Amino acid sequence: MSKIKLSKDFIRNTVKRALNEDLYPSGDITSSLVKNNKIIKVKIISNENAIVGGLLFAKQAFNLVDNKIKFQIKKQDGSNVKKGSLIATIEGNARNILIAERIALNFLSHISGIATKTNKFVKLAGKKCKICCTRKTIPNTRVIQKYAVKLGGGTNHRFNLSDEFLIKDNHIASSNVKNLVLLAIKNKKGRKITVEVDNLKQLNEIMGLKFNTVLFDNMSVKNLKAGIKIVKKYYETEASGNINLKTVKRVAKTGVNRISIGSITHSAAAIDFKLEI
């Protein structure tokens, strides 16, 4: 799959767009009321237990507003932090710190939220089963969200539609599953092929064809176990469909190789951080 790259330029450009969104067209009209020569020291504190992530984005926010601001990282991305933990210290011009504050905290909160939720699934699934993200991401933030998944111990699924053949229910409804798989094999050019099934009858139609992964979608644990027993010697296995923190352990115990979960990116709650003066 495409590699997730968080280069300095990518981080800078991403944060720059966020600042432009926040400051157009007249800048921070409230912070401009603060004395321009006032120097302050502040702390970023976590208000809850979390896997922290996004510190370089936060640092870049302050740097872009004022490169004289000193931002000292106290916890590294991927660290498991407790409520009340000191995440970073900041020293510099008060007005400029206040301008960058919310953008910095937004990146921290969102990335840490995904990393934290992913980590909860990873712990419940155990070491033999991978937790994967999906393409259910906020448009234009996929790189950041998939980075956050990795911080939480998860595995990145395909990055985009060019990475892998993933023959899903609507493809099958629009054509014939066996023909689709054969065409994918013919055009694979080194890419993996995954075929989604939602019942054992569909599974029997594709058995023996040379592809990589069977994706069991929205199947009961009983049927999932039966399907894995049929295919485990021949294909990698994946489960998906409405799997949550209450059910993931049960699904993982079926012996499935990986579980893909959309909610770790599309609905992870933000982690609460505060900037304390």
Side-chain angles (χ1 to χ4, degrees):
M1 63 162 280
S2 303
K3 291 183 179 179
I4 304 300
K5 294 181 180 179
L6 287 184
S7 66
K8 288 181 181 179
D9 283 343
F10 173 82
I11 294 170
R12 180 183 175 84
N13 291 335
T14 301
V15 176
K16 193 173 183 178
R17 286 195 300 273
L19 284 167
N20 287 341
E21 178 183 62
D22 221 21
L23 296 172
Y24 178 85
S26 304
D28 184 349
I29 60 174
T30 309
S31 294
S32 66
L33 303 174
V34 176
K35 267 186 163 184
N36 195 32
N37 60 354
K38 186 175 178 64
I39 302 298
I40 58 172
K41 294 181 180 180
V42 301
K43 301 173 182 177
I44 295 179
I45 306 288
S46 178
N47 280 336
E48 54 188 305
N49 298 343
I51 303 294
V52 71
L55 281 155
L56 292 180
F57 290 88
K59 184 176 182 177
Q60 187 63 250
F62 292 103
N63 184 259
L64 281 169
V65 171
D66 180 356
N67 61 16
K68 292 180 181 178
I69 292 174
K70 296 176 183 177
F71 188 99
Q72 291 191 320
I73 293 171
K74 299 298 183 181
K75 299 289 184 183
Q76 296 300 317
D77 274 15
S79 299
N80 195 333
V81 303
K82 301 293 184 183
K83 180 180 179 180
S85 293
L86 176 65
I87 307 302
T89 60
I90 308 155
E91 183 178 355
N93 180 282
R95 180 189 291 182
N96 292 336
I97 286 174
L98 293 170
I99 290 170
E101 171 190 0
R102 178 43 51 195
I103 294 297
L105 294 182
N106 281 351
F107 278 111
L108 273 176
S109 296
H110 183 60
I111 295 170
S112 300
I114 291 172
T116 302
K117 185 165 186 176
T118 300
N119 192 250
K120 289 177 181 178
F121 277 102
V122 168
K123 285 180 176 178
L124 288 168
K127 294 180 180 179
K128 293 182 179 180
C129 181
K130 294 178 181 179
I131 296 296
C132 301
C133 53
T134 70
R135 286 172 42 252
K136 294 177 181 178
T137 53
I138 297 171
N140 299 319
T141 64
R142 187 172 292 169
V143 170
I144 296 170
Q145 292 189 303
K146 284 184 174 280
Y147 167 71
V149 167
K150 291 189 76 173
L151 286 179
T155 300
N156 287 162
H157 210 296
R158 61 179 181 159
F159 181 76
N160 62 29
L161 294 170
S162 298
D163 278 343
E164 178 182 329
F165 289 95
L166 178 43
I167 300 168
K168 294 172 68 67
D169 54 353
N170 284 339
H171 298 115
I172 295 165
S174 304
S175 186
N176 173 277
V177 64
K178 194 168 183 178
N179 288 342
L180 289 171
V181 176
L182 290 171
L183 280 169
I185 292 167
K186 184 179 178 180
N187 295 285
K188 66 183 294 184
K189 295 179 181 178
R191 295 181 180 93
K192 287 188 174 181
I193 301 170
T194 297
V195 186
E196 178 181 290
V197 299
D198 55 22
N199 59 65
L200 298 180
K201 182 183 176 183
Q202 279 186 336
L203 180 60
N204 288 328
E205 290 180 47
I206 58 172
M207 284 299 297
L209 299 177
K210 292 182 179 180
F211 60 94
N212 304 95
T213 307
V214 177
L215 169 57
F216 297 98
D217 186 51
N218 279 297
M219 289 179 66
S220 67
V221 170
K222 181 182 177 182
N223 286 341
L224 181 58
K225 281 181 180 178
I228 290 169
K229 190 175 180 180
I230 293 167
V231 307
K232 65 180 179 181
K233 291 181 181 179
Y234 311 103
Y235 306 106
E236 183 183 34
T237 56
E238 180 177 337
S240 71
N242 298 307
I243 298 166
N244 55 46
L245 289 168
K246 291 181 180 179
T247 61
V248 66
K249 196 170 185 178
R250 230 169 27 245
V251 174
K253 282 184 176 180
T254 62
V256 71
N257 299 123
R258 64 188 196 184
I259 299 170
S260 52
I261 302 169
S263 69
I264 58 177
T265 50
H266 72 59
S267 58
I271 298 298
D272 184 18
F273 293 98
K274 66 179 176 181
L275 193 142
E276 187 174 271
I277 298 176

